């Protein structure tokens, strides 16, 4: 029987994860293509990406509470199949209204599949290992995608991007229709009533806000790293080499975070992450030379993945109900959804330096949120010690 513990089941989940999280890899090429090939304004281009991500968020919020009510083995391939159709629709027109409709439909369909995919991963015997394998798979995919896609678009035009998106979704639809694994409920004794008890601590809520702010900065900046490189006069080959480096770098942060789990306090990592984001954003959008741009761009996604790994572990420990950890896709996608539109608006009206200033402001707010998380955590430990005494 094909389950989450068989190799075939795990590979299928990884394929579904890569397809569902394709926006995390494709945003810079996605927005850049809409600007350069479709002649949309930065605001319009960022808005299309935001429509897709908003569809993912809405679908996730609707589907996640209903994970146990519908068969994942039917929902996942159906969602990816509809997403493939939506992206094929996007290749047939250059009208903004048609593209907007395709992005919304594609986002909703992808969000449904992704919610049920992640829910199934959570039913595996070792969810952390399963998610790590899926993230590694996404990193491997990002190397190929970011390395090849700018050259493909350069040769075949903007429609090629959406054709590739459609092909990825179609492959995921076929793979999940044939091999999507059965879930294994390994948390014996846990019931929905048990999981619903208790309130999410205020410090965890603050941490969720902090992660959402970091996700906003991540998508806001990353959506325009390809375009700012081109506008600085760097060649297509140079920008493509940087995007390949991004893919290579994203293979390592989760592994490094696991190694440092018991050496670096999660609260300090969470507070340092937004600061690193702001510094790198300033370098990306204010550097005139290729080297600082390349180094900062290559390291930028590393910060989000590394910091969020520690935040995930903290939320799981601080919130016994598990609801904070279950909200991980939502907190990521909400930030990712509004980021491209904010970034496009800033670039259109104030230029690229405004993006780095906005990133610094949001980073400061994220630091404050994580500082509150740390304060509440330390206060809780102090109160526990007093009670024991």
């Amino acid at each position: 029987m094909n389950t989450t513990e068989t190799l075939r089941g795990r590979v299928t989940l990884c394929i579904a994860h890569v397809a569902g999280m394709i926006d995390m890899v494709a945003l810079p090429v996605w927005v850049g293509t809409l600007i350069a090939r479709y002649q949309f304004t930065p605001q319009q281009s960022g808005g299309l990406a935001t429509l897709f991500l908003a569809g993912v968020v809405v679908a996730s919020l609707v589907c996640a509470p209903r994970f146990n009510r519908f068969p994942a083995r039917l929902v996942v391939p159906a969602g990816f199949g509809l997403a493939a159709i939506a992206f094929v629709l996007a290749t047939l027109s250059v009208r903004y209204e048609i593209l907007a409709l395709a992005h919304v439909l594609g986002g909703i369909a992808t969000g449904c599949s992704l919610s049920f995919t992640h829910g199934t991963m959570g039913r595996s015997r070792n969810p952390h290992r399963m998610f790590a394998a899926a993230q590694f798979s996404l990193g491997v995919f990002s190397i190929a995608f970011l390395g090849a896609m700018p050259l493909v678009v350069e040769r075949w035009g903007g429609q090629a991007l959406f054709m590739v998106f459609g092909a990825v979704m179609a492959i995921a639809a076929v793979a999940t229709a044939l091999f999507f694994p059965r879930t294994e409920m390994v948390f014996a004794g846990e019931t929905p009533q048990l999981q619903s008890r208790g309130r999410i601590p205020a410090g965890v809520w603050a941490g969720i806000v902090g992660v959402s702010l970091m996700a906003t900065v991540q998508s806001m900046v990353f959506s325009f790293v390809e375009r700012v490189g081109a506008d600085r006069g760097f060649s297509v080959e140079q920008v493509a080499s940087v995007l390949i480096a991004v893919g290579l770098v994203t293979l390592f942060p989760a592994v490094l975070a696991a190694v440092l789990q018991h050496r670096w306090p999660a609260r300090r990592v969470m507070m340092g992450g937004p600061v690193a984001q702001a510094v790198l954003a300033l370098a990306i959008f204010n550097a005139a030379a290729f080297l600082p741009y390349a180094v900062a761009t290559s390291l930028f996604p590393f910060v989000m993945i590394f910091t969020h790994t520690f935040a995930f572990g903290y939320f799981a420990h601080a919130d016994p109900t598990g609801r904070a950890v279950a909200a991980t896709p939502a907190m990521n996608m909400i930030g990712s959804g509004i980021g491209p539109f904010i970034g496009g608006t800033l670039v259109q009206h104030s230029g690229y330096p405004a993006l780095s200033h906005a990133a610094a402001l949001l980073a400061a707010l994220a630091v404050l949120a994580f500082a509150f998380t740390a304060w509440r955590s330390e206060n809780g430990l102090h109160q526990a010690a007093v009670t024991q005494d």
Side-chain angles (χ1 to χ4, degrees):
M1 183 175 64
N2 187 31
T3 71
T4 55
E5 306 312 311
T6 64
L7 177 61
R8 185 169 58 183
R10 292 173 182 173
V11 170
T12 302
L13 288 174
C14 288
I15 292 172
H17 177 81
V18 168
M21 300 291 289
I22 195 170
D23 61 280
M24 301 296 290
V25 172
L27 271 179
V29 179
W30 197 337
V31 175
T33 297
L34 290 170
I35 295 173
R37 297 292 170 174
Y38 288 82
Q39 302 301 310
F40 294 140
T41 66
Q43 185 181 52
Q44 289 175 320
S45 301
L48 284 176
T50 293
L51 286 175
F52 176 85
L53 294 168
V56 173
V57 170
V58 171
S60 296
L61 292 175
V62 172
C63 292
R66 296 166 174 80
F67 170 69
N68 293 312
R69 301 182 189 178
F70 299 96
R73 300 181 71 193
L74 295 179
V75 174
V76 175
F80 284 133
L82 291 174
I85 294 173
F87 282 120
V88 170
L89 174 64
T91 67
L92 302 179
S93 176
V94 296
R95 291 180 55 190
Y96 192 85
E97 296 81 3
I98 300 298
L99 289 171
L101 176 62
H103 277 70
V104 171
L105 295 178
I108 292 173
T110 301
C112 287
S113 295
L114 186 61
S115 293
F116 280 85
T117 296
H118 283 169
T120 304
M121 287 182 179
R123 300 291 194 211
S124 63
R125 292 179 183 173
N126 191 332
H128 289 282
R129 183 176 62 187
M130 185 66 252
F131 276 113
Q135 282 292 83
F136 182 83
S137 300
L138 185 63
V140 173
F141 172 79
S142 71
I143 297 173
F145 182 90
L146 294 175
M149 207 62 232
L151 302 177
V152 171
V153 171
E154 183 76 15
R155 181 172 181 179
W156 301 104
Q159 287 82 0
L161 174 69
F162 297 118
M163 189 60 70
V164 169
F165 285 171
V168 171
M169 297 299 173
I171 291 171
V174 173
T176 54
L178 294 176
F179 306 118
F180 196 82
R182 297 183 183 276
T183 60
E184 291 192 7
M185 185 61 179
V186 299
F187 304 105
E190 287 194 358
T191 64
Q193 292 79 13
L194 179 61
Q195 291 179 348
S196 65
R197 293 175 186 173
R199 300 173 58 186
I200 296 178
V204 174
W205 278 117
I208 290 174
V209 171
V211 170
S212 296
L213 289 170
M214 287 192 68
T216 303
V217 173
Q218 169 70 25
S219 63
M220 182 178 70
V221 171
F222 200 55
S223 296
F224 291 92
V225 295
E226 184 270 344
R227 188 71 343 227
V228 71
D231 290 346
R232 290 281 188 270
F234 307 140
S235 67
V236 173
E237 290 76 14
Q238 284 179 308
V239 175
S241 68
V242 172
L243 295 179
I244 292 174
V246 169
L248 289 170
V249 169
T250 56
L251 295 175
F252 302 107
V255 176
L256 183 60
V259 172
L260 298 175
Q261 178 181 1
H262 301 295
R263 300 181 183 180
W264 289 13
R267 289 164 288 174
R268 294 183 182 179
V269 173
M270 288 190 288
M271 291 180 65
V275 176
Q277 265 192 332
V279 171
L280 292 174
L282 287 167
I284 291 170
F285 293 114
N286 293 278
F290 177 72
L291 183 59
Y293 159 80
V295 172
T297 300
S298 300
L299 293 176
F300 191 76
F302 183 100
V303 176
M304 181 66 195
I305 299 172
F306 184 79
T307 305
H308 194 197
T309 302
F310 278 88
F312 183 93
Y314 173 82
F315 295 157
H317 175 74
D319 174 36
T321 70
R323 286 174 293 172
V325 173
T328 295
M331 70 180 80
N332 269 330
M333 292 297 183
I334 289 173
S336 298
I338 63 176
F341 180 76
I342 294 175
T345 302
L346 290 171
V347 170
Q348 181 173 332
H349 295 289
S350 302
Y352 291 116
L355 267 181
S356 62
H357 301 153
L361 175 60
L362 293 177
L365 295 175
V367 169
L368 290 176
F370 288 136
F372 181 79
T373 298
W375 177 77
R376 293 288 297 189
S377 178
E378 292 175 356
N379 189 48
L381 290 174
H382 176 71
Q383 290 181 350
V386 171
T387 302
Q388 290 177 356
D389 292 341

